[in-house]
Amino acid sequence: MGGPRGMEQNTQGKKEEIDKEFIENLLESYSERLVKAHEEIERLKNENAILKERIAILVSKKQS
């Protein structure tokens, strides 16, 4: 009925569906990694601010 051409189109359709799913999963994975990286940046900024405050305190103590 459909012959080889119908099967070929069906296979192509499945491949496109798999490719689409793969890309969606990849995007989701990258989005999650981006969120985690952003959280880590914020944590490091906070840690950096605390260390700068401690250094300022130590420097001021040393100078007095």
Side-chain angles (χ1 to χ4, degrees):
M1 280 204 189
R5 188 146 182 97
M7 285 182 69
E8 192 177 299
Q9 286 175 338
N10 191 25
T11 302
Q12 181 68 24
K14 285 181 183 174
K15 183 184 182 310
E16 287 173 5
E17 188 63 35
I18 289 167
D19 288 349
K20 182 181 175 196
E21 189 176 334
F22 175 76
I23 290 168
E24 286 172 353
N25 289 342
L26 203 58
L27 281 172
E28 188 176 334
S29 172
Y30 281 153
S31 294
E32 289 170 3
R33 288 168 58 190
L34 192 58
V35 167
K36 286 179 183 174
H38 183 71
E39 289 170 353
E40 180 68 4
I41 287 168
E42 290 305 311
R43 187 188 68 75
L44 290 170
K45 281 182 183 177
N46 187 41
E47 193 174 301
N48 192 34
I50 291 167
L51 289 172
K52 282 181 178 180
E53 287 174 16
R54 288 181 180 170
I55 289 168
I57 290 166
L58 289 172
V59 167
S60 68
K61 282 183 181 178
K62 194 173 186 181
Q63 289 175 350
S64 53

